[in-house]
């Protein structure tokens, strides 16, 4: 609801918000805490492992794994913007967050989500070149171009959210101070701002069209070309081999964009808030968890790199014990 200038000018500005989360369910707090704690530990362990393997194993120093290392590093940051606060709230019962803390969380969450769109687009373009233009792949996807794509992904992903936060910080909040979610959502935050927020309500959609629609269209176009090329391969074995090089990434893209589209395409007034919160868990909590599982279980290079790392660790520990 938009407040008029007369209504909000005499009100006292609030300094903190209260997350409503999934409601007052004291009997389930411990269960939720343990569940999200296990998810957080597994997410961090899986993604950190991928980053370490990509950095240390020479066999993984290729463009595809360079982008995957960036994606896994992003996922560790992405999940850390929400889950630690959620865990602390479940453990202590304190569901408050300061206004500046909320804007900070929104900046990092939005920036990382936007960056993921660009990284997924860069990975899809890498697979497009590898499958559709294999003879030119090495020349086109060189080290310099990979670094430019990665740097551009991080910059463009952060720029859109920075613009929104810059405008949002000009408003004050004078109540109510309850956020009906488990993290700071841009749409809900705009609704709590005082003053004329009609233009601010449109800004997230405008920024999404300008900054996130292009990488989505690039990803979609890349996979249309990839699938068309694969279907033209005469042998079944050749088609299976070509598809295996991009199947893990395609699954991740489908989960990421699929859950976001479901959440934001649902009717705002007819959809229960609890359903939107549950669906939001898919791309804020579950996606960072399943990404390393998908890549590690479906990728032979990662399984071999992990085996080599374990062998080196076992050999190192034996040498240390023998040296004592």
């Amino acid at each position: 609801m938009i407040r008029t200038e007369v209504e909000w000018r005499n009100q006292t500005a609030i300094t903190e918000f209260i997350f409503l989360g999934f409601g007052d369910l004291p009997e389930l707090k411990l269960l939720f805490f343990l569940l999200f704690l296990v998810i957080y530990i597994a997410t961090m362990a899986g993604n950190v492992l991928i980053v370490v393997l990509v950095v240390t194993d020479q066999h993984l120093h290729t463009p595809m794994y360079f982008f995957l290392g960036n994606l896994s590093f992003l996922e560790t940051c992405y999940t850390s913007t929400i889950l630690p606060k959620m865990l602390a709230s479940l453990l202590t019962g304190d569901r408050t967050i300061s206004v500046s803390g909320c804007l900070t969380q929104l900046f990092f969450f939005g920036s990382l989500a936007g960056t993921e769109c660009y990284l997924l687009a860069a990975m899809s373009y890498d697979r497009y070149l590898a499958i559709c233009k294999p003879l030119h792949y090495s020349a086109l996807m060189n080290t310099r171009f990979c670094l430019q794509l990665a740097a551009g992904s991080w910059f463009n992903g952060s720029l859109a959210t920075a613009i929104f936060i810059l405008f949002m910080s000009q408003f004050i909040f004078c109540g109510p101070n309850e956020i009906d979610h488990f993290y700071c959502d841009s749409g809900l935050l705009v609704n709590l701002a005082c003053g004329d927020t009609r233009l601010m309500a449109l800004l997230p959609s405008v920024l999404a069209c300008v900054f996130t629609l292009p990488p989505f269209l690039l990803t979609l176009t890349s996979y249309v070309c990839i699938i068309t090329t694969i279907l033209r391969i005469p042998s079944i074995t050749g088609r299976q081999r070509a598809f295996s090089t991009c199947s893990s990434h395609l699954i991740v893209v489908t989960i990421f964009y699929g859950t976001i589209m479901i959440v934001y395409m649902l009717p705002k007034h007819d959809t229960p808030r609890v359903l939107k919160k549950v669906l939001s868990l898919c791309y804020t909590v579950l996606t960072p968890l399943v990404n390393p599982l998908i890549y590690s279980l479906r990728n032979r290079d990662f399984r071999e790199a992990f085996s080599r790392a374990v062998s080196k660790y076992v050999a190192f520990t034996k040498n240390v014990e023998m040296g004592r």
Side-chain angles (χ1 to χ4, degrees):
M1 182 178 67
I2 299 173
R3 301 175 183 84
T4 65
E5 185 177 349
V6 175
E7 289 176 324
W8 64 262
R9 180 166 285 179
N10 294 327
Q11 297 188 35
T12 304
I14 61 174
T15 59
E16 63 182 22
F17 298 113
I18 299 174
F19 289 127
L20 297 185
F22 290 97
D24 294 321
L25 300 171
E27 66 279 4
L28 296 179
K29 279 187 178 180
L30 179 60
L31 177 62
F32 283 158
F33 174 78
L34 294 175
L35 175 63
F36 289 126
L37 179 62
V38 170
I39 290 175
Y40 184 56
I41 293 174
T43 300
M44 295 296 289
N47 284 291
V48 169
L49 177 62
I50 288 180
V51 172
V52 171
L53 290 177
V54 169
V55 171
T56 59
D57 197 299
Q58 294 290 331
H59 296 84
L60 300 181
H61 289 181
T62 63
M64 180 175 70
Y65 295 117
F66 168 74
F67 292 122
L68 181 57
N70 272 266
L71 181 63
S72 294
F73 174 73
L74 179 145
E75 298 289 23
T76 62
C77 301
Y78 186 68
T79 192
S80 295
T81 61
I82 293 177
L83 274 180
K85 176 61 181 175
M86 188 189 301
L87 290 171
S89 299
L90 290 170
L91 188 62
T92 64
D94 181 12
R95 295 182 292 178
T96 62
I97 185 172
S98 65
V99 172
S100 59
C102 189
L103 291 174
T104 302
Q105 184 191 65
L106 178 58
F107 170 74
F108 284 107
F109 173 74
S111 297
L112 293 168
T115 301
E116 183 161 1
C117 293
Y118 281 93
L119 283 176
L120 291 176
M123 294 172 74
S124 66
Y125 183 66
D126 171 74
R127 292 299 83 202
Y128 161 76
L129 292 179
I131 294 174
C132 301
K133 298 183 181 297
L135 299 178
H136 302 90
Y137 177 76
S138 298
L140 294 173
M141 193 59 69
N142 53 52
T143 302
R144 181 180 179 182
F145 187 53
C146 289
L147 291 173
Q148 289 174 341
L149 285 177
S153 297
W154 287 92
F155 176 76
N156 287 323
S158 302
L159 183 58
T161 308
I163 293 173
F164 177 80
I165 295 297
L166 179 63
F167 282 97
M168 198 71 233
S169 62
Q170 307 302 313
F171 288 84
I172 65 169
F173 302 90
C174 52
N177 67 336
E178 293 181 338
I179 298 178
D180 192 10
H181 220 309
F182 54 87
Y183 68 94
C184 291
D185 179 81
S186 60
L188 297 178
L189 204 59
V190 170
N191 292 337
L192 296 178
C194 299
D196 190 350
T197 59
R198 284 173 292 186
L199 292 178
M200 281 301 302
L202 295 175
L203 187 59
S205 299
V206 173
L207 293 174
C209 291
V210 174
F211 286 95
T212 61
L213 187 59
F216 170 72
L217 293 178
L218 176 60
T219 303
L220 185 63
T221 304
S222 296
Y223 271 104
V224 170
C225 296
I226 288 171
I227 294 173
T228 302
T229 302
I230 290 176
L231 293 177
R232 291 175 182 170
I233 299 175
S235 66
I236 296 178
T237 304
R239 289 198 294 268
Q240 291 176 341
R241 187 181 296 111
F243 185 73
S244 65
T245 64
C246 63
S247 58
S248 297
H249 181 254
L250 181 59
I251 293 173
V252 170
V253 168
T254 303
I255 294 174
F256 179 74
Y257 280 112
T259 52
I260 289 179
M261 287 181 178
I262 291 174
V263 170
Y264 286 99
M265 290 179 68
L266 288 172
K268 291 186 177 181
H269 301 292
D270 299 331
T271 306
R273 288 297 310 173
V274 66
L275 176 59
K276 287 191 174 183
K277 294 176 191 176
V278 172
L279 292 173
S280 296
L281 284 173
C282 293
Y283 64 85
T284 58
V285 176
L286 295 183
T287 300
L289 171 67
V290 300
N291 282 1
L293 294 176
I294 292 172
Y295 280 109
S296 60
L297 295 178
R298 297 178 58 86
N299 191 295
R300 186 180 64 181
D301 291 337
F302 262 111
R303 294 196 298 268
E304 292 176 352
F306 181 72
S307 298
R308 287 191 294 269
V310 172
S311 299
K312 289 179 180 179
Y313 176 76
V314 172
F316 174 76
T317 53
K318 286 184 178 179
N319 291 334
V320 171
E321 291 176 355
M322 291 175 63
R324 289 178 179 177

